Amino acid sequence: MASSELTSSQSPRPPRPNLAFRQLRGQRSPAEFAAAVRRAAREIGERVSCDARYVGRVEAGEIRCPNYAYERVFLHMFPGRTLTDLGFAPRSSVRGRRARADEDAPLVHLTSPVCVTSETWGAHEPYDQKDSLNPQDPHDPYAAYAACAACGAEQNHENDEIHEESDVLRRAFMTGGSATVAAASLGPLGLTFDAAAAERPVRRVGGREADALEEAVRRIRLLDDRHGADGLYRRAAAPLRAAYELLDAGTTRQATGDRIHSGAGELAISVGWLAHDSGRFDDARSHYAEALATARMAGDPALEAHAFCNTSFLARDAGRPREAVRAAQAAQRVARPLGSSRLMSLLALREAGGWAGLADRVGCEQALARAHALYDRGHADADPEWMSFYGEAELEILEAQCWSMLGNWPRAARHAGRAAQLQDPHFTRNIALYTAELADDLARGGRPDEAATAGMRVLDLLDQVQSSRVQTMLAGTARVLLPHRRARGVSAFLERHASVPRTA
C-alpha cells in the first residue's frame, strides 16, 4: 500500500516471509482479510486502503514494519499482541536506513528541481504570520532535512543523522501533547528540500513521490484532528508548493500521474482547510479553487466533489449562504455516481447549513432528512479516505449548527451535547469544537451555569488545540455570559477565559 511504503524501510537482503501474520489470516482469502482490516480501521476512526496486494506484501516480508495507522489497526484487531507478535520487525530496527534504490525510476538531472521549493533555510515564506501561540522557529532546518529520505533523494554524508532526527520529530508528533510539538512535526512531510538540492540528481517522479504526497495529506489531517489548524497552516504551505512542482515534472506511467494530480488536489484541500479553520478565508478560497481546477483537469470526480464540499462549508462560515447551497448541490451532482451514501449524507448537511443561513427552515429540514436517510445506509467501500471524521458525532454537530443559525437554541444544545458525548477521543480538536458549540447554545438559550461548565471543559483542551474557530466561539459565549456574572460558575469561567492568550 502507498501509505505503508513511505514509513516502512526495506532491507537490501531478500525479504523473510512473515509466517506469523499469515497464520493470523487463517482460512480467509487476502481480499477477505483486507476487508476485515478496513472494517477494524473504521471502528477506531482510522482510514486505511488495505487490499489483497498489501496483505500479500506483508506476508511476503516486503513490509517489515507497518506505518502508524496500520499499526493501530492491527493492534486493535489482535489485542494483547505486539508488532513483534504479528511478525513485524521493531520500528527502531527499520528506521534510519537508506531507502532501497528504485530500479524502475532512472535518475535524471533537473535544472529546475522537482520536489524543491523556492525558499532556502531562513528565507521568509509568503504565508508567514506572527503567531504568539507558536514560538517554534518557523524556519527550522529539520523541515528541510527530514524530508529528503521520504522523497527518495539520496544523501551521501548526512543521511543517517537526517533519518534519526526525522524519526525524533515523527515520534514527537505521534505522542506529544502540545500544538507546538505538532507544528514542529510538520517538517517530515516528505515534500520539502533545501535549495542546495536543486543541483543534485533527483529521481524521476514515480510511485515513491506519489506515496510521499499521499502520506503528507494523511499526516496533516491527523495533526489537525488532534491539535487544530493554528500553527500548522504556514508549515503546510511549502509541501503544497512542492506538490504542484511535481505536476510539471512528468511521470512514466499514467496511473502515477493520476495519483500525483489527486494527491496534489487533496493536499490543496487540506491546506485550504487549515486556512479556513484558522480564519484565513481568502487563502482558503484560493486553495479550494486550486483543488477544483486540478480535479477538473484530471477528470477526477471524487476530488471535485471534495473541493465543492469544502467550498460550501467555507461559504457558509464566510456569510455567503446562497453560495453554500449551490456549491453543495454541485457536489451532490458530481458525487452521486461514486456510490458513497455517507458522502452524499455529508453533502446534504452542507446544503442544510446553507439553507439555515438563508433562514429557510423548510429547505433546511428537507436537507437534514436526506442526510439522515443517507447516513443510515451505512458504510461502503466507495467512501472516500478523507471522510474518516464523518460519523454520528459529526452529523449531530452539523445539525446543531443548523438549529443554532435558525435560532432554536434548546434543540441546537441537545444535538451539540450528543455530538460531544459521541466523539472519538482521537479527535481532540473536534471535542473542543463540539463542546464550544454546546457552551454557546446553552448561553444563548438562557442556561448560563451549564454554559460556563461546558466552557471550562473547552478551556481545559486549549493547551492541546490551537483553533481560531474554537477561540472565536468561546469569545462569543463569554460576551453572552457577561450579564450573568452572578450565576454559578460564570465568573470563574470569564476570569479564566480572559487570561487565555489569543492567536494573532
Side-chain angles (χ1 to χ4, degrees), residues 20-286:
F21 198 86
R22 173 64 187 88
Q23 186 175 8
L24 289 170
R25 175 161 66 85
Q27 298 300 312
R28 288 174 288 187
S29 71
E32 290 170 336
F33 188 78
V37 171
R38 296 194 298 272
R39 284 195 299 272
R42 289 196 291 265
E43 291 172 2
I44 60 172
E46 290 289 354
R47 179 71 62 172
V48 296
S49 302
C50 188
D51 58 11
R53 176 176 172 269
Y54 178 86
V55 174
R57 292 188 62 212
V58 171
E59 294 178 359
E62 295 178 21
I63 297 174
R64 298 180 58 211
C65 185
N67 70 14
Y68 289 105
Y70 276 103
E71 177 182 351
R72 288 189 290 273
V73 174
F74 291 150
L75 296 184
H76 171 68
M77 292 178 70
F78 305 106
R81 298 176 189 258
T82 65
L83 283 182
T84 304
D85 296 333
L86 301 180
F88 293 109
R91 193 173 300 282
S92 59
S93 71
V94 298
R95 290 297 191 192
R97 299 178 184 271
R98 186 169 301 185
R100 179 175 59 87
D102 186 350
E103 295 87 357
D104 296 330
L107 294 178
V108 294
H109 185 79
L110 298 178
T111 55
S112 176
V114 174
C115 293
V116 182
T117 66
S118 60
E119 65 211 21
T120 60
W121 304 340
H124 289 276
E125 299 176 8
Y127 295 99
D128 277 353
Q129 297 193 20
K130 187 172 181 61
D131 188 347
S132 61
L133 285 184
N134 183 21
Q136 191 73 25
D137 179 4
H139 311 300
D140 186 352
Y142 288 143
Y145 276 141
C148 296
C151 250
E154 299 280 335
Q155 302 283 349
N156 291 327
H157 52 280
E158 296 175 322
N159 206 49
D160 289 340
E161 289 130 344
I162 290 167
H163 273 284
E164 183 178 352
E165 290 167 343
S166 171
D167 293 337
V168 170
L169 288 177
R170 190 176 290 110
R171 285 192 294 273
F173 106 75
M174 289 304 300
T175 59
S178 73
T180 299
V181 171
S185 73
L186 269 176
L189 284 180
L191 291 172
T192 51
F193 276 63
D194 61 285
E199 298 305 321
R200 298 188 190 120
V202 296
R203 296 185 181 279
R204 183 183 299 279
V205 178
R208 192 180 303 274
E209 287 77 17
D211 292 346
L213 186 51
E214 290 163 357
E215 185 66 14
V217 175
R218 294 185 184 99
R219 190 162 300 164
I220 286 175
R221 289 172 183 162
L222 176 64
L223 288 169
D224 176 54
D225 289 340
R226 293 184 176 179
H227 304 290
D230 292 10
L232 302 181
Y233 171 58
R234 174 176 28 78
R235 288 176 175 270
L240 178 59
R241 290 194 296 273
Y244 276 93
E245 290 282 347
L246 292 176
L247 294 181
D248 282 332
T251 59
T252 56
R253 298 179 181 176
Q254 179 64 40
T256 302
D258 291 343
R259 286 179 64 195
I260 294 292
H261 273 86
S262 178
E266 289 293 346
L267 187 57
I269 292 173
S270 293
V271 176
W273 167 248
L274 295 179
H276 179 175
D277 196 41
S278 57
R280 300 170 172 94
F281 288 176
D282 288 343
D283 286 352
R285 189 178 180 88
S286 175

Side-chain angles (χ1 to χ4, degrees), residues 11-23:
S11 171
R13 60 180 178 271
R16 184 176 301 171
N18 187 336
L19 300 180
F21 198 86
R22 173 64 187 88
Q23 186 175 8

